[in-house]
């Protein structure tokens, strides 16, 4: 039996599963120090102790060390300040080395034994010379971590067209596949700018209610289909999938709206 908690890297919303030993009971919103393969960082607990049976055990992402102290918070804040300065140095070095990479942000581990730079790139980058420059400057282990455009939006943050902060930089832990069919299911405009997020990819929220839309689609007629209703035979000219409403017109162009319940009762 393995006990883990679901947690997120503080400020970066990167979901990990942290092993907890010795019967330690962690609670939702606890800030903890945990060590992952990337080093020691502050994490926020999202889900309390989870007992995993032997048949479901996979290697956890890290291990719990202790609850965060005031000193840990102070050190993390100081590290963030130093990481910001390191980011500017790295940007200058990237420019000098003429490397095809775009730096996003940087992060020191809590003990400053590792400095991580997050970047995007269109092609493979040979950054060996850059690593030597950075290691010589900062006298610590250097990690250059390439991320995708969605991860870039997560780290940078921002506000979506809904007026709320990006899901990926607030609560969304992992990125689920999103397809253009999900937008079609919702009768949304397929104009790229209207269904794309700040990352340039399809908005993650298209998938949130997709199961409902798919289920409703199976029950509703298609636009252009002729159906029998309490008003006789009519043509379907529109659908309100959320409300399960059907908009129709008859041969004389009179408009009628029916709920799916009305139509299903009419069939009985």
């Amino acid at each position: 039996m393995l006990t883990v908690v679901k947690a997120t890297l503080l400020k970066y919303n990167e979901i990990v599963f942290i092993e907890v030993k010795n019967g330690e009971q962690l609670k939702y919103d606890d800030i903890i120090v945990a060590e992952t393969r990337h080093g020691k960082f502050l994490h926020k607990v999202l889900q309390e102790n989870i007992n995993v049976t032997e048949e479901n055990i996979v290697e956890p992402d890290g291990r719990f060390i202790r609850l965060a102290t005031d000193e840990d918070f102070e050190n993390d804040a100081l590290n963030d300040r130093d990481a910001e300065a390191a980011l500017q140095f790295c940007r200058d070095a990237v420019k000098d080395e003429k490397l095809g990479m775009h730096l996003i942000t940087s992060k020191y581990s809590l003990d400053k034994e590792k400095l991580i730079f997050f970047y995007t790139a269109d092609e493979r980058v040979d950054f060996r010379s850059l690593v030597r420059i950075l290691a010589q400057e900062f006298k610590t282990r250097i990690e250059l971590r390439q991320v995708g455009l969605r991860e870039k939006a997560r780290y940078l943050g921002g506000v979506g067209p809904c007026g709320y902060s990006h899901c990926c930089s607030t609560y969304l832990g992992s990125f689920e596949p999103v397809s253009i069919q999900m937008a079609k299911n919702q009768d949304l405009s397929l104009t790229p700018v209207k269904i794309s997020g700040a990352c340039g990819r399809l908005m993650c929220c298209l998938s949130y209610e997709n199961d409902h839309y798919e289920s409703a689609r199976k029950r509703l007629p298609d636009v252009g289909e002729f159906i029998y209703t309490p008003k006789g035979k009519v043509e379907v000219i529109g659908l309100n999938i959320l409300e399960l409403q059907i908009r129709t017109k008859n041969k004389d162009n009179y408009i009628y709206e029916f709920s799916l319940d009305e139509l299903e009762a009419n069939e009985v």
Side-chain angles (χ1 to χ4, degrees):
M1 182 81 68
L2 179 70
T3 302
V4 298
V5 293
K6 184 179 180 181
T8 179
L9 180 62
L10 204 62
K11 304 175 187 175
Y12 289 84
N13 200 37
E14 185 175 304
I15 301 298
V16 291
F17 287 91
I18 303 297
E19 182 178 7
V20 180
K21 294 183 177 180
N22 303 323
E24 187 79 39
Q25 291 294 319
L26 300 181
K27 303 186 295 297
Y28 173 76
D29 259 1
D30 277 348
I31 306 299
I32 63 174
V33 178
E35 183 167 16
T36 69
R37 63 188 178 90
H38 298 295
K40 295 178 182 178
F41 294 94
L42 294 183
H43 293 77
K44 182 171 73 171
V45 175
L46 299 179
Q47 188 172 351
E48 300 175 6
N49 293 39
I50 308 166
N51 292 321
V52 184
T53 56
E54 290 186 6
E55 59 268 23
N56 293 321
I57 287 179
V58 295
E59 188 68 25
D61 300 302
R63 63 182 181 87
F64 167 74
I65 298 177
R66 65 176 184 275
L67 290 171
T69 64
D70 289 341
E71 184 180 359
D72 291 324
F73 289 119
E74 291 173 5
N75 288 338
D76 190 57
L78 292 173
N79 289 349
D80 285 346
R81 184 197 62 189
D82 292 343
E84 186 63 31
L87 183 63
Q88 186 55 54
F89 178 90
C90 188
R91 283 181 174 142
D92 293 338
V94 167
K95 186 177 180 179
D96 292 341
E97 295 294 310
K98 296 181 174 58
L99 298 176
M101 56 194 295
H102 176 71
L103 289 165
I104 302 168
T105 188
S106 57
K107 180 73 174 173
Y108 265 112
S109 63
L110 195 60
D111 52 17
K112 298 194 79 170
E113 290 187 359
K114 179 182 281 191
L115 175 56
I116 304 174
F117 294 93
F118 301 85
Y119 74 95
T120 59
D122 295 329
E123 299 178 351
R124 184 178 178 277
V125 179
D126 184 355
F127 45 65
R128 287 174 294 182
S129 61
L130 177 63
V131 170
R132 287 194 293 270
I133 293 171
L134 296 174
Q136 184 176 6
E137 175 69 19
F138 299 109
K139 305 296 189 297
T140 190
R141 293 171 58 197
I142 301 296
E143 179 180 337
L144 291 166
R145 194 192 307 183
Q146 184 173 0
V147 299
L149 292 177
R150 286 188 168 180
E151 287 84 358
K152 176 182 177 181
R154 164 185 285 173
Y155 293 134
L156 294 180
V159 177
C162 59
Y164 289 94
S165 298
H166 293 157
C167 300
C168 58
S169 49
T170 50
Y171 70 90
L172 190 64
S174 57
F175 294 107
E176 300 296 331
V178 183
S179 69
I180 195 68
Q181 184 61 46
M182 294 177 179
K184 292 179 179 178
N185 289 343
Q186 299 175 46
D187 281 334
L188 297 176
S189 167
L190 299 184
T191 305
V193 70
K194 292 185 176 181
I195 56 176
S196 299
C199 58
R201 299 289 190 260
L202 291 172
M203 291 189 293
C204 293
C205 56
L206 293 177
S207 67
Y208 294 171
E209 299 172 348
N210 189 61
D211 289 345
H212 168 79
Y213 281 102
E214 285 188 339
S215 175
R217 278 286 189 181
K218 292 177 183 178
R219 299 176 61 195
L220 292 167
D222 294 325
V223 173
E225 184 178 344
F226 286 89
I227 60 175
Y228 289 93
T229 72
K231 297 294 184 179
K233 186 178 180 181
V234 295
E235 180 185 0
V236 177
I237 60 173
L239 300 172
N240 183 334
I241 301 177
L242 281 180
E243 300 293 336
L244 296 178
Q245 297 279 341
I246 299 96
R247 187 175 178 84
T248 68
K249 69 176 182 179
N250 65 9
K251 61 181 181 179
D252 297 319
N253 288 327
Y254 282 99
I255 304 298
Y256 302 103
E257 290 190 357
F258 303 95
S259 69
L260 184 60
D261 290 339
E262 287 179 285
L263 295 184
E264 290 179 341
N266 187 62
E267 295 175 355
V268 178

